[in-house]
Amino acid sequence: STVDPIALLTDYDSTWADQFKSVRLADAPTLQITGEMPLGDFANANIKIRYEHRQGFTYVDGARELPISDIRGLFAYDRGALETNDAAGNLFGGQLYLNGATNLIREKRPFNGLIEITGMDLKKASGWFGDGGTGLEGRLNLTFRGTGNSEIASINGGGNLRIEEASLPGFPAIGPAQELIGKVVPAFAFKGRGTVTGAYILESGVLVTSDLTVRNSGARLVTNGNVNLASKATTFVTTADLEPALAAATGLKDKSIQIEGSGPLDHPELKIRQFPVEFAASGLGEVLGTSPESLGGLKELIGSGNAAEVISGKIEEATGLQLDPAVT
């Protein structure tokens, strides 16, 4: 347990140094190895490794660092193929579980398996996501099962995610869309922390979701869209409505506001796609937080587009709606 295995291997064969240049050990791991290892050709070994590493290691990618500690698991290595059924570790304050296989000597290192993350602190992890991660807060629970290799465009699979105690304004795409809707209808301007849930699939490196849902108080936002993980480009539609009980009480059942977004994930271009006029009823101002000032913002958000294509619903006297002059 006092041996640095990376230093040992690179001293044995200096050509391996390039493979380990991105890994920095915090302390020495404890290894128990059984099997056969040809000393002249380690790649053709057939061994089982019990690995325990309390302080773990840091994977370095340029200025980004990914620290993994309290690592433990049983690994089987057979002539380039590495497999585990019970690997685990600590990642940004949460638990990481890994069950899968990869090939270390094949080109691009293909992999398949299951990854589970529970309770990861997004604030601690924000540095790994770069500038786009600034402001992220919450505890992430995520599952992913899939296949791929070292190229992002090769990854296929899917899973579920749940973010608890999420600070919503800092989330890419979700935060800007919620802010835009909240300027017009303050009931959707979530304050404090909320919950984000949803399922997703990955197809050739493109993440697709149809039910990424944000809940807070009596409102919810559901996002349907995709993100190219390589280019960080996105297209999406966010639908905002009230929770069923509140929607029924206010007469807004089956009514929703829609925002359309496209462009860079960090700063997408947003525009209102649908705004039911019922949300502008003066009698609902107390519940929705609307006012002449907030509703007057519709003119700016619609811009020079055709308001009739965005604002839906009836404004005749028969509806009983009293609208702000700016909306009329």
Side-chain angles (χ1 to χ4, degrees), residues 281-283 314-323:
S282 59
K314 298 181 179 180
I315 59 174
E316 291 87 351
E317 292 183 3
T319 64
L321 292 177
Q322 295 183 8
L323 302 176

Side-chain angles (χ1 to χ4, degrees), residues 91 94-97 115-120 140-143:
L91 178 66
Q95 286 297 306
L96 168 68
Y97 302 94
I115 298 173
E116 295 183 68
I117 296 173
T118 61
M120 189 180 82
L140 172 67
N141 299 280
L142 177 142
T143 62

Side-chain angles (χ1 to χ4, degrees), residues 9 16 25-26 31 48 51 70 84 90 114 139 166 193 214 217 224 262 274 290 296 312-313 328:
L9 292 172
W16 291 358
L25 298 184
L31 304 175
K48 292 184 178 180
Y51 189 99
D70 194 23
T84 182
N90 185 293
L114 170 67
R139 304 203 70 84
R193 297 180 180 272
V214 176
S217 302
N224 177 337
S262 62
Q274 174 181 295
T290 51
S312 60
T328 305

Side-chain angles (χ1 to χ4, degrees), residues 70-85:
D70 194 23
I71 307 168
R72 58 220 179 266
L74 178 64
F75 299 83
Y77 178 89
D78 185 5
R79 298 171 181 83
L82 180 66
E83 183 176 355
T84 182
N85 294 321

Side-chain angles (χ1 to χ4, degrees), residues 145-199:
R145 185 185 297 275
T147 63
N149 58 42
S150 58
E151 295 183 350
I152 291 179
S154 72
I155 300 177
N156 294 282
N160 296 276
L161 67 84
R162 180 181 180 86
I163 304 172
E164 299 173 341
E165 300 179 6
S167 177
L168 303 173
F171 278 84
I174 297 176
Q178 171 265 323
E179 182 181 7
L180 182 64
I181 298 173
K183 287 181 178 179
V184 179
V185 182
F188 295 111
F190 297 157
K191 298 179 180 179
R193 297 180 180 272
T195 302
V196 182
T197 60

Side-chain angles (χ1 to χ4, degrees), residues 121-244:
D121 188 333
L122 285 177
K123 188 173 183 179
K124 291 182 179 179
S126 60
W128 177 256
F129 297 108
D131 295 337
T134 303
L136 287 178
E137 291 188 34
R139 304 203 70 84
L140 172 67
N141 299 280
L142 177 142
T143 62
F144 169 76
R145 185 185 297 275
T147 63
N149 58 42
S150 58
E151 295 183 350
I152 291 179
S154 72
I155 300 177
N156 294 282
N160 296 276
L161 67 84
R162 180 181 180 86
I163 304 172
E164 299 173 341
E165 300 179 6
S167 177
L168 303 173
F171 278 84
I174 297 176
Q178 171 265 323
E179 182 181 7
L180 182 64
I181 298 173
K183 287 181 178 179
V184 179
V185 182
F188 295 111
F190 297 157
K191 298 179 180 179
R193 297 180 180 272
T195 302
V196 182
T197 60
Y200 66 93
I201 60 173
L202 275 169
E203 297 179 339
S204 301
V206 177
L207 186 149
V208 181
T209 180
S210 61
D211 66 347
L212 189 63
T213 303
V214 176
R215 281 187 168 88
N216 194 322
S217 302
R220 63 184 178 185
L221 276 71
V222 179
T223 297
N224 177 337
N226 63 76
V227 179
N228 186 304
L229 298 183
S231 65
K232 301 293 178 65
T234 182
T235 60
F236 64 91
V237 173
T238 296
T239 301
D241 61 7
L242 301 177
E243 292 287 4

